[in-house]
Amino acid sequence: MGLSHYLGTSRGRYLRYINFQSSLLFHSSNIVPCSHFPTRFQSSFFRCTQPRTSRRLFIVSLPSPQLPETNNHSPLISRHCDRASEVMGSQSSPTQKDRASLDGLPQETMVSIASYLTTPEYGTLRLVCRKIENLLFEPFAFEFFTKRQFMFSEFSLGALVGISESRLAPHLKYLIFTLERPYMFFLGQNLYHINNGTGIAHHYARGYEEYLSHQALVSSGQDFELIVRALRNLPKLETVGLRDYPCHGRYRDGGDCLWRTYGTLTYYRETGVPYMPSPLFESLKSEDITHICHIFRTILRAVGTAREPDAYPGLEVILRRHFLPDFALNIPRYLQPTISPVLEGLKVLVLSIAPPTFPGLVSDGQGGYLTHNGFLLAKFLSTMHSLEELRLNFGGSGYNAAEMVKWLANIPKSSDAVGSTQGVNNVEGRFAEMPPTPEFRHLKRLDIGMLTLDVSLLLDLYTRYKSSLRKISFHRVNLVSEWSGQVEDRVNLWAWFLRRVTQLGFNLSAITLSRLGQHRIDEFPLLFRRPGEAPAEASVKSMKWTGMDWERDSREFIQSMVVIPRDGGDPCVGDGEDSDVEMEGM
């Protein structure tokens, strides 16, 4: 167990210093002053007081042993043993009932101790004995298995199945799949280095094996079978997600540590190359789009196959490197019996949508046709009658999603968009019908992000669902108006929008605004000023309000909003009604 030494305390017990290999830390009010420690222990103690260092000292109160004979030890140890005896005085040895041990500590104390440990150290502590493991199991499972991230590989999905069939299954509430997969490019790179005498042969062999395994997994349908098997054994699953990035929050291993996909570090260690996510959207190849569509549909199929209608989890697609291709939203007829019930029962939906690759052609009902950029998304959303939370991130602040927002707001498309029917015989029946806009009667939260939109159209969208909406959120939204160029320096469009929301009587409990702008988001960003700050001093990019009376709090919130032109122009504040009059007069 390492070097140990005994020192006395005022309560007749002793502190034993145990320097574990994956050292641990415990703070106790019974510790004697550090000046009483041998010099070689003082340095260790001071190191252990620094949070989350690589080596720490674990100090625990143990039963009082027989003091060693002082003449068998060095003068330094004898001196400390004599001091221990002086502190003890004539106190008798503690009884069995009075003795304290590590496994006798309350659970909350053990959890507090464990919070100072790195992940490997935490694992070592849990291996000390069964009692300690039982004490720490619930907090351990909550921290490490409430949310887990897996990729489409046999090794990673196999681990998911193993978790679902263990006592950890009830703790998994947030299941994430990623786009990571082995790439043929790295195989060729490894082979090149081997031929030049600079590579490692077993790295290439392991990467080659993993690439073949992945191809067989996705082409044979075994990935679907593994996910179904796991989903059937996760009773408290709330959300299934798709991401292309690791997550923050791994505090115990340092600020820069991330929650990475299960299996990626093992793959890197065995092959010397990383598991790579799909490239950025601008550089996606056909095989990348096919891979993303396959993962998305496989998730929906697995949920529809494994879960009962009253146990469908929410669906979140949050992508940072690129967006979900609109092709992935196409549900073929042979999959509709499995996937359609999932869409109908879905309560939470988050989508990061790419700009449409090609517009769809839909019938206008008058013998002609219309082009519609949001046809596949509209068709996907049209059956979601149970939806309570909807978040749509479009293809960027420069992406004009007006057609899709008009459909959501139930605004008919103008007749000037009707296509020509010249040279087309019997048009009726040749083009799909545009699905009707769902009522979303249960919609409580509507979040919009990463698009450019007319302020009046945005107001129409939220007004349609005013009766049920309680929370609204905007991220990287760029507002424009039909008077752009005439009012951009004089009217705060976001302040105008929120004043109209207040006047229309929205019953809101939360509003979140982050990284917004108007007209040209980089030149006219929306910032927030703190109480007492001048408009030119505004610097906060995000603001959130929560409460029960938006009408009462709206004035102060709106007054904090400032649009500051990047060219040095005067700030445009939101603290008056002049802009409303000006907008109405245009």
Side-chain angles (χ1 to χ4, degrees):
M1 298 293 290
L3 181 64
S4 64
H5 183 63
Y6 296 95
L7 292 176
T9 69
S10 60
R11 291 198 293 177
R13 296 179 184 165
Y14 294 85
L15 294 178
R16 185 178 185 181
Y17 289 79
I18 308 173
N19 198 359
F20 282 105
Q21 183 177 359
S22 60
S23 48
L24 312 171
L25 174 62
F26 173 60
H27 294 289
S28 170
S29 60
N30 293 331
I31 300 174
V32 296
C34 192
S35 59
H36 299 166
F37 298 167
T39 304
R40 61 183 180 277
F41 292 130
Q42 289 184 30
S43 60
S44 296
F45 179 79
F46 283 121
R47 281 200 303 273
C48 83
T49 60
Q50 301 302 316
R52 302 177 186 88
T53 52
S54 59
R55 294 186 63 81
R56 300 181 179 89
L57 195 63
F58 185 66
I59 306 174
V60 59
S61 180
L62 293 175
S64 173
Q66 294 294 325
L67 282 174
E69 294 294 336
T70 57
N71 56 3
N72 293 332
H73 298 275
S74 67
L76 178 62
I77 296 179
S78 299
R79 185 166 62 251
H80 285 282
C81 289
D82 291 340
R83 180 172 180 81
S85 299
E86 292 175 9
V87 173
M88 288 177 60
S90 58
Q91 234 177 349
S92 59
S93 298
T95 63
Q96 182 69 28
K97 183 178 179 179
D98 294 331
R99 293 178 180 176
S101 62
L102 181 61
D103 59 3
L105 294 175
Q107 184 183 38
E108 59 269 21
T109 303
M110 289 295 299
V111 173
S112 178
I113 294 170
S115 67
Y116 288 89
L117 309 180
T118 63
T119 300
E121 293 169 351
Y122 194 14
T124 301
L125 177 60
R126 294 180 60 242
L127 292 174
V128 169
C129 68
R130 184 178 297 277
K131 187 171 183 179
I132 292 177
E133 200 280 334
N134 289 336
L135 281 173
L136 294 176
F137 176 74
E138 290 295 328
F140 166 78
F142 176 80
E143 179 181 348
F144 288 91
F145 290 94
T146 299
K147 179 188 292 188
R148 292 297 294 180
Q149 193 161 304
F150 302 89
M151 58 186 170
F152 273 51
S153 74
E154 188 174 356
F155 175 74
S156 190
L157 294 182
L160 171 60
V161 171
I163 292 171
S164 71
E165 296 175 350
S166 72
R167 58 177 177 157
L168 295 167
H171 297 272
L172 188 56
K173 297 181 179 180
Y174 201 127
L175 176 59
I176 303 172
F177 295 98
T178 67
L179 302 178
E180 291 162 303
R181 60 188 176 120
Y183 270 80
M184 187 178 295
F185 167 78
F186 291 111
L187 283 179
Q189 197 175 53
N190 272 352
L191 187 60
Y192 171 81
H193 290 306
I194 290 173
N195 293 334
N196 284 274
T198 59
I200 302 176
H202 71 265
H203 280 175
Y204 170 80
R206 184 66 185 90
Y208 180 73
E209 178 185 353
E210 187 65 22
Y211 179 80
L212 294 179
S213 173
H214 172 77
Q215 294 299 320
L217 182 77
V218 298
S219 62
S220 66
Q222 183 63 16
D223 51 354
F224 168 74
E225 297 294 336
L226 291 173
I227 295 175
V228 168
R229 184 176 166 185
L231 290 178
R232 283 175 174 160
N233 296 309
L234 297 175
K236 296 185 179 181
L237 187 65
E238 298 176 358
T239 303
V240 176
L242 177 62
R243 293 186 180 180
D244 60 354
Y245 60 92
C247 304
H248 291 277
R250 194 166 182 170
Y251 72 92
R252 65 170 61 248
D253 294 313
D256 297 332
C257 287
L258 304 172
W259 292 107
R260 300 189 182 276
T261 306
Y262 190 92
T264 53
L265 295 181
T266 299
Y267 180 81
Y268 177 76
R269 184 170 59 251
E270 294 180 353
T271 66
V273 296
Y275 244 106
M276 291 296 292
S278 294
L280 293 173
F281 183 78
E282 292 79 3
S283 58
L284 284 180
K285 299 178 181 179
S286 177
E287 65 180 74
D288 299 316
I289 295 177
T290 301
H291 177 65
I292 299 172
C293 293
H294 169 78
I295 290 180
F296 182 72
R297 292 196 188 103
T298 299
I299 293 172
L300 290 176
R301 286 178 59 206
V303 170
T305 302
R307 310 290 289 190
E308 296 297 328
D310 59 346
Y312 290 142
L315 178 63
E316 294 186 357
V317 179
I318 305 177
L319 305 176
R320 293 180 179 176
R321 293 175 58 85
H322 50 271
F323 298 85
L324 185 72
D326 60 338
F327 292 152
L329 303 177
N330 178 47
I331 309 301
R333 287 190 299 271
Y334 52 84
L335 292 182
Q336 288 179 2
T338 302
I339 295 180
S340 292
V342 177
L343 302 183
E344 292 173 5
L346 208 60
K347 294 184 178 181
V348 178
L349 176 65
V350 178
L351 288 179
S352 298
I353 299 296
T357 310
F358 297 101
L361 296 182
V362 296
S363 172
D364 67 348
Q366 301 177 2
Y369 61 86
L370 306 172
T371 61
H372 203 293
N373 286 326
F375 172 66
L376 290 177
L377 177 58
K379 188 177 178 181
F380 186 79
L381 295 175
S382 62
T383 61
M384 296 185 179
H385 306 299
S386 303
L387 208 58
E388 296 180 2
E389 297 183 17
L390 175 62
R391 175 180 169 187
L392 295 175
N393 287 337
F394 293 89
S397 60
Y399 172 39
N400 193 321
E403 285 189 349
M404 189 61 220
V405 175
K406 284 182 179 179
W407 178 82
L408 284 171
N410 201 27
I411 300 175
K413 192 168 182 178
S414 59
S415 58
D416 59 0
V418 177
S420 171
T421 59
Q422 183 176 2
V424 180
N425 298 322
N426 300 322
V427 170
E428 287 294 332
R430 292 199 175 193
F431 300 106
E433 297 287 338
M434 192 68 184
T437 305
E439 295 185 6
F440 291 146
R441 295 180 179 178
H442 308 288
L443 192 63
K444 298 178 182 179
R445 177 168 185 159
L446 178 57
D447 300 350
I448 299 295
M450 307 189 74
L451 80 165
T452 294
L453 197 64
D454 186 275
V455 62
S456 299
L457 181 55
L458 183 66
L459 184 63
D460 290 338
L461 170 65
Y462 278 82
T463 301
R464 172 175 169 76
Y465 306 106
K466 181 186 75 170
S467 60
S468 61
L469 272 183
R470 298 295 177 265
K471 300 178 181 180
I472 62 177
S473 177
F474 305 98
H475 176 66
R476 292 188 181 276
V477 176
N478 183 40
L479 286 186
V480 297
S481 71
E482 57 183 302
W483 308 288
S484 293
Q486 304 177 52
V487 302
E488 63 184 16
D489 293 323
R490 292 171 288 158
V491 176
N492 187 324
L493 296 181
W494 282 105
W496 180 88
F497 171 79
L498 288 183
R499 271 195 290 271
R500 293 293 296 147
V501 166
T502 306
Q503 294 165 3
L504 292 171
F506 278 69
N507 184 18
L508 299 175
S509 61
I511 297 177
T512 304
L513 309 178
S514 63
R515 299 183 179 274
L516 306 177
Q518 63 183 53
H519 301 293
R520 291 181 297 277
I521 196 168
D522 294 330
E523 297 181 24
F524 297 90
L526 177 71
L527 302 175
F528 299 88
R529 52 177 172 168
R530 300 179 180 89
E533 287 185 340
E537 297 174 338
S539 59
V540 180
K541 297 181 179 179
S542 303
M543 186 66 70
K544 182 175 182 179
W545 170 86
T546 57
M548 300 301 294
D549 192 344
W550 164 249
E551 184 177 1
R552 181 193 64 191
D553 299 338
S554 61
R555 182 173 181 83
E556 181 180 355
F557 187 91
I558 294 172
Q559 286 177 348
S560 70
M561 305 168 64
V562 183
V563 174
I564 302 182
R566 294 297 191 193
D567 60 3
D570 295 332
C572 183
V573 297
D575 58 356
E577 302 295 332
D578 294 343
S579 60
D580 287 2
V581 175
E582 195 165 5
M583 288 279 287
E584 297 294 339
M586 283 292 183

